[in-house]
Amino acid sequence: MQIEFGSRVLDFVHPRIMGVLNVTPDSFYDGGACYENGVLNLDLALRHAERLVAEGADFLDIGGESTRPGAAPVSPEEECDRVLPVVRAVAERLDVVISVDTSNPLLMREAAIAGAGLINDVRSLQVPGALAAAVASGLPVCVMHMIGTPANMQQEPKYDDVVREVKDFLAERKQECIGAGISAEKIFVDPGIGFGKTDAHNLELLKNLNQFCSLGPVLLGVSRKSMFGRLLGRAPSERLPASLAAGLIGCQKGASILRVHDVAATRDALEIWRLIG
Ligand code: 9MG
């Protein structure tokens, strides 16, 4: 399977690595890493991007709004101001597919012009205007499952059958995308680990991740998520081993892209998995 991401083409013979580049002051793990005295520093962002690419990232997922539980929303203009300069700078300098982590139609359109190759929307293109903007961009998309919004998603999430309900949601969103003009092979699906789910829901989804592959290539994000904090009593800085274990199991069950903070460690883990498997 080969997919065009703007000017770049990738195959998915092996799982690909998506490095996280948050240009936010408040993300749960790396929030503020690209800020100096409260102001976004483009050089810091570029240096971080260069490191992730040198370590083996195939994608950089650039986000300007934190999606951690309870995060405050930012205005569409502020989000564009944070993300677009970084997209432009990375597109000019680095050989990597730029993914924009956004639900904002304005940013989707502008980022595509600036050199982005993928739209990663945790709200699954449901914000008014987002689906049309994604279609107009001509880029592949990732639709993710979430109940509610980042502000309220962890308030007692309930499912009768979490795997079936998340699959049904993603199948419906995929059909909506196809109906709007996005070709089926350009649509990634993501069960949205930690987005409106208890730990039991997350584990059930990970155990059954193989079932999602029939819907399309799967993007999986487990990196340093709070479920490991609750299950193991670990702070975000101590969650790398758990993240690698869950990510590898996700790949074993068919994930095509792993969204991670720790590119070098993930690359090594995937390499050994490939040599054995
Ligand atoms: C932006 N973002 C944070 N976590 C994520 C996840 O698990 N999947 C996707 N697609 N995006 C995410």
Side-chain angles (χ1 to χ4, degrees):
M1 172 181 55
Q2 284 204 326
I3 302 181
E4 260 178 48
F5 299 89
S7 58
R8 289 183 169 78
V9 180
L10 292 184
D11 67 51
F12 286 87
V13 176
H14 300 297
R16 295 287 184 170
I17 301 176
M18 173 181 275
V20 177
L21 182 58
N22 284 320
V23 289
T24 52
D26 57 344
S27 289
F28 78 100
Y29 175 59
D30 57 355
C34 301
Y35 279 69
E36 212 172 38
N37 303 322
V39 180
L40 179 62
N41 181 320
L42 191 55
D43 280 344
L44 283 180
L46 254 181
R47 257 183 271 150
H48 191 48
E50 280 163 2
R51 202 188 77 221
L52 294 174
V53 174
E55 288 176 353
D58 304 295
F59 297 81
L60 288 183
D61 193 36
I62 305 180
E65 180 189 30
S66 171
T67 49
R68 74 180 158 76
V74 293
S75 74
E77 292 74 23
E78 165 90 32
E79 194 188 353
C80 286
D81 288 346
R82 290 178 182 177
V83 172
L84 287 172
V86 184
V87 171
R88 288 191 194 103
V90 170
E92 266 173 28
R93 292 167 179 81
L94 299 177
D95 182 16
V96 69
V97 176
I98 298 172
S99 162
V100 270
D101 155 19
T102 190
S103 307
N104 169 358
L106 181 64
L107 181 52
M108 290 175 189
R109 289 177 192 272
E110 294 293 322
I113 294 166
L118 172 68
I119 293 170
N120 172 29
D121 185 0
V122 299
R123 295 178 185 80
S124 210
L125 302 172
Q126 295 179 101
V127 167
L131 184 54
V135 173
S137 77
L139 297 178
V141 299
C142 176
V143 290
M144 196 198 78
H145 177 272
M146 169 168 62
I147 284 193
T149 65
N152 64 21
M153 65 189 178
Q154 289 306 101
Q155 289 166 13
E156 289 192 57
K158 284 199 178 65
Y159 302 84
D160 290 326
D161 177 341
V162 68
V163 175
R164 185 178 48 74
E165 289 168 48
V166 173
K167 270 175 67 184
D168 286 352
F169 171 88
L170 292 174
E172 198 183 300
R173 291 312 303 151
K174 183 166 179 174
Q175 277 316 311
E176 187 89 10
C177 291
I178 293 170
I182 301 175
S183 50
E185 54 289 354
K186 285 185 162 182
I187 305 171
F188 288 79
V189 296
D190 182 337
I193 300 299
F195 286 84
K197 282 111 188 164
T198 63
D199 297 339
H201 296 141
N202 290 325
L203 292 174
E204 193 63 17
L205 288 167
L206 286 167
K207 274 183 207 165
N208 292 285
L209 198 73
N210 51 322
Q211 292 193 36
F212 290 83
C213 297
S214 58
L215 295 176
V218 171
L219 191 158
L220 179 68
V222 289
S223 182
R224 297 190 182 262
K225 289 208 169 176
S226 57
M227 64 181 282
F228 302 127
R230 290 183 296 269
L231 293 170
L232 301 172
R234 301 278 184 258
S237 61
E238 301 168 327
R239 295 177 192 162
L240 177 58
S243 305
L244 291 174
L248 280 189
I249 291 167
C251 290
Q252 191 88 45
K253 290 178 184 282
S256 293
I257 303 179
L258 275 188
R259 183 182 183 277
V260 302
H261 298 89
D262 306 278
V263 170
T266 303
R267 187 204 54 213
D268 284 1
L270 282 176
E271 183 61 22
I272 295 302
W273 173 68
R274 264 199 293 271
L275 290 171
I276 297 169

